[in-house]
Amino acid sequence: VLDKTYTIRATSNIAFIKYWGRRNHELNLPYNSSISMTLDENLSATTSVEFSNSFKEDMLIIDGKRQDLNFQRSEKASYLRRALEHARKTAGLNAHALVVSENNFPSGTGLASSAAGAAALSLAIVKALDLKIDTREISKIARQVSGSGCRSLHGGIVKWHRGTHHDGSDSFAEQLFDTSYWPELIDLVAIVTTSSKKVSSSEGHTLTPRTSRLYDLRPKIAEAEAKKAETAIRNRDFNLLAEIVMRDSNNLHAVCLDSWPPIIYLNDVSRAIIYAIHELNENYGKNVAAYTFDAGANAHIITTQKHRAAVEGTLSSINGIKRVLYSKQGNGPRLLSEGKSLINDEVIRHTGIYKY
Amino acid sequence: VLDKTYTIRATSNIAFIKYWGRRNHELNLPYNSSISMTLDENLSATTSVEFSNSFKEDMLIIDGKRQDLNFQRSEKASYLRRALEHARKTAGLNAHALVVSENNFPSGTGLASSAAGAAALSLAIVKALDLKIDTREISKIARQVSGSGCRSLHGGIVKWHRGTHHDGSDSFAEQLFDTSYWPELIDLVAIVTTSSKKVSSSEGHTLTPRTSRLYDLRPKIAEAEAKKAETAIRNRDFNLLAEIVMRDSNNLHAVCLDSWPPIIYLNDVSRAIIYAIHELNENYGKNVAAYTFDAGANAHIITTQKHRAAVEGTLSSINGIKRVLYSKQGNGPRLLSEGKSLINDEVIRHTGIYKY
């Protein structure tokens, strides 16, 4: 399988119950389980990987920019190094890898591009080295590249179990429901800003548990809410699910604000969206939409096909929303044909990765 | 003392450790103790009271607007009714009262105009009826008019003890330090908005303890921080006090955001102020200023005389600040001469309060 390129397209996911705070930094182990919906290919990352004995070093290129793998403070770099080492050890190989990745949505905006990228990368490495490991094992690789990345390994509704073991062996993602269980569920992403956030989620995962006094309650709350969310989805009870989703988002941003120094992702446009969704739901006399915010000001509005137009109408009345992306539930990552690879002779020549 | 007008001027206060959430709605008993600095007369309320057997009813006029005392949902009205009844019972009188009050700062903006008003009103009633009750008793009247009002009965640095008794008998305010202890301490109030807030603090006091799951920890945190704040002030340790003040503000707004529906007082300008103060402190290598927000977007910047210019410079660079008020520590309420009364024959005639 050396000198052959493998390309995976994986998609982003939006958490209904969010991951915030890691109990183990090295292994990326969370304080609480999380539940997410995998999005469709409107929000995806495509990653090509090739291993070769002719390569003089590992190289990672994201959206055309070469990443410095020796930069100690880069988490991307250190996670990739670890994933490659893990994979090479398992395969019994020493070949270096060229990894080329492209996102089709703006990164650093709280749209979880890293999740899609991590899932695509992990699967591409596993494919490229033809590793005989099961999905749980791949899940653990993806988790170490980017926590929420393990959730993007599956389609539909996915749960990332926090696990209790110190070595992370029981912290993995699995599908709860495939896309056919509740296909009406959709996500409308209101893009509020495309600029990078002040505090990365990676920093937040460490800062908040360490400094927020309110955080002490967050893991217990989120764990209980994850169970409730699972039941709400099983019963296709949108009214209940929506409340759980909105409250979990608020809970997360509350512990962010309580961190020291404070982390504030929501802005005036986010707030206008929050109020507008509450008003929309009040008008219906039940919840027909739910807002949820990751580490950024952009809003994900979870709703059903039936109320898509009503939500779009509501969003169109809010100043400051740049555009609204639409996503159904996605089926999870897939292998693209060789012709779709981001790696070709031209690219390889351009990188200067060859030994001679 | 009937048919004679008494006028009290009381000033606002800014809490270092805030009151948020009442354990008893009727008596206005808080879940935690709070600590505040009384402001000077740049932020004051002036209240004149006259009792007369010639009045056919009780009447309350705030900033020229007559308040409907029979409006059941008005807390101002119900608290005034209770304060008057309490006072009349103590004095053994049946005379009705005319109460005229004026604020010199915009109300409903998160600047605690109600605190100044409550303190002025309570003291004016006590004076007008010549009630022989001690400060603790007056404190309890003021507390029932507006919780934070009891803190405005004293000058300098004031502590409102939460108390533990069901009847509120041990929940009162007392002075910790007079204005001469640390006179350098000042407040710069950045007015961001003069419009009314969406959720009144009175509603928030009920909503947050009832719905925020994180609130469970707030009383314990605030109680501990109040003790730390007291020590920091005793040691005139501004660096420590500033951190306590900023974190308590963030903690309060975090439990607000975690309420259901969420309460969001901070806006983009508030956030810009928060970041700017953190940056200012970083540049100094220690805390020289602290932001704190009540139930609104307006920022109080606690600093010392020495750093007033630096803080004003920082604030002047932020778009969206309408003006900056300056306040030293205030000495507490005072009785104004009869000539300064807001009640005169003209006013009385205009109200039509006379029986004949």
Side-chain angles (χ1 to χ4, degrees), chain A residues 117 242 248 331:
Chain A
D248 188 70
N331 287 306

Side-chain angles (χ1 to χ4, degrees), chain A residues 198 211 213-214 217 221 225 247 250-251 253-254 257-258 260 262 264 266-268 271 275 278 291, chain B residues 198 211 213-214 217 221 225 243 247 250-251 254 257-258 260 262 264 266-268 271 275 278 291:
Chain A
K198 221 180 152 74
T211 62
R213 293 147 179 159
L214 298 175
L217 284 175
I221 294 168
E225 291 298 297
R247 295 187 73 160
N250 294 337
N251 188 268
H253 291 278
L257 179 54
D258 191 51
W260 187 251
I264 309 174
L266 307 178
N267 67 16
D268 283 359
R271 179 159 74 151
Y275 287 149
H278 277 281
Y291 54 79
Chain B
K198 221 178 150 75
T211 61
R213 292 149 180 157
L214 298 174
L217 283 176
I221 293 167
E225 292 298 297
E243 180 172 331
R247 294 186 73 159
N250 294 338
N251 188 268
L257 179 55
D258 190 51
W260 186 252
I264 309 174
L266 306 178
N267 66 18
D268 284 359
R271 179 159 76 151
Y275 288 149
H278 277 282
Y291 54 79

Side-chain angles (χ1 to χ4, degrees), chain B residues 55-102:
Chain B
F55 294 162
K56 61 184 175 196
E57 61 184 334
D58 292 326
M59 197 179 284
L60 170 63
I61 298 168
I62 301 178
D63 290 333
K65 264 181 243 144
R66 185 172 166 181
Q67 312 288 311
D68 182 358
L69 292 188
N70 295 315
F71 184 47
Q72 288 303 321
R73 287 189 54 208
S74 161
E75 304 225 5
K76 263 180 203 155
S78 79
Y79 286 138
L80 177 68
R81 280 199 308 269
R82 220 179 302 158
L84 288 175
E85 270 156 40
H86 182 99
R88 275 191 284 249
K89 210 170 120 186
T90 312
L93 275 174
N94 280 313
H96 285 297
L98 172 60
V99 180
V100 181
S101 190
E102 273 177 14

Side-chain angles (χ1 to χ4, degrees), chain A residues 81-96:
Chain A
R81 279 200 307 270
R82 218 178 305 156
L84 289 175
E85 270 156 39
H86 182 99
R88 275 190 285 248
K89 211 170 120 188
T90 311
L93 275 173
N94 279 314
H96 285 297

Side-chain angles (χ1 to χ4, degrees), chain A residues 111-322:
Chain A
L111 295 180
S113 62
S114 65
L121 171 72
S122 310
L123 272 176
I125 290 176
V126 168
K127 276 283 170 202
L129 292 180
D130 193 28
L131 298 180
K132 304 296 181 209
I133 61 176
D134 64 12
T135 329
R136 281 200 189 185
E137 281 307 307
I138 304 173
S139 187
K140 287 174 211 165
I141 297 175
R143 187 195 74 214
Q144 289 180 58
V145 178
S146 166
S148 55
C150 68
R151 294 192 311 244
S152 278
L153 289 175
H154 306 276
I157 306 293
V158 180
K159 182 169 190 175
W160 173 13
H161 300 276
R162 73 181 290 283
T164 54
H165 298 167
H166 288 304
D167 63 358
S169 55
D170 56 349
S171 185
F172 61 91
E174 67 174 355
Q175 186 182 65
L176 291 179
F177 304 97
D178 68 23
T179 53
S180 70
Y181 190 77
W182 197 0
E184 293 81 7
L185 226 47
I186 59 167
D187 181 13
L188 293 164
V189 193
I191 307 288
V192 169
T193 173
T194 49
S195 64
S196 269
K197 49 215 180 192
K198 221 180 152 74
V199 180
S200 75
S201 51
S202 181
E203 292 171 81
H205 283 305
T206 308
L207 186 68
T208 300
R210 213 174 265 172
T211 62
S212 165
R213 293 147 179 159
L214 298 175
Y215 187 82
D216 294 357
L217 284 175
R218 161 90 190 144
K220 211 179 70 182
I221 294 168
E223 207 62 34
E225 291 298 297
K227 286 200 183 71
K228 278 193 219 166
E230 195 174 330
T231 306
I233 297 165
R234 179 162 293 118
N235 298 333
R236 297 187 187 86
D237 181 347
F238 189 84
N239 183 53
L240 177 58
L241 177 65
E243 180 172 330
I244 293 169
V245 167
M246 291 185 274
R247 295 187 73 160
D248 188 70
S249 175
N250 294 337
N251 188 268
L252 179 152
H253 291 278
V255 296
C256 284
L257 179 54
D258 191 51
S259 305
W260 187 251
I263 305 171
I264 309 174
Y265 291 124
L266 307 178
N267 67 16
D268 283 359
V269 184
S270 319
R271 179 159 74 151
I273 294 171
I274 288 174
Y275 287 149
I277 296 298
H278 277 281
E279 202 183 311
L280 177 73
N281 289 334
E282 266 163 40
N283 290 344
Y284 272 90
K286 64 177 180 182
N287 297 322
V288 298
Y291 54 79
T292 183
F293 298 83
D294 284 343
N298 298 319
H300 290 257
I301 312 298
I302 310 301
T303 186
T304 50
Q305 292 288 4
K306 191 180 166 187
H307 296 103
R308 176 180 174 182
V311 171
E312 284 175 339
T314 297
L315 294 177
S316 70
S317 70
I318 299 170
N319 282 330
I321 296 178
K322 292 185 176 143

Side-chain angles (χ1 to χ4, degrees), chain B residues 130-191:
Chain B
D130 194 27
L131 299 180
K132 305 297 181 207
I133 58 175
D134 64 12
T135 330
R136 282 201 189 184
E137 280 307 307
I138 305 173
S139 188
K140 287 174 211 165
I141 297 175
R143 186 196 75 215
Q144 289 181 59
V145 178
S146 165
S148 54
C150 69
R151 295 192 310 245
S152 277
L153 289 175
H154 306 277
I157 306 293
V158 180
K159 182 169 190 175
W160 173 12
H161 300 276
R162 71 180 293 282
T164 54
H165 298 168
H166 287 305
D167 63 358
S169 55
D170 57 350
S171 184
F172 61 91
E174 67 175 354
Q175 187 181 63
L176 291 178
F177 305 97
D178 69 22
T179 54
S180 70
Y181 190 78
W182 197 0
E184 292 82 6
L185 225 48
I186 59 167
D187 181 13
L188 293 165
V189 193
I191 307 288

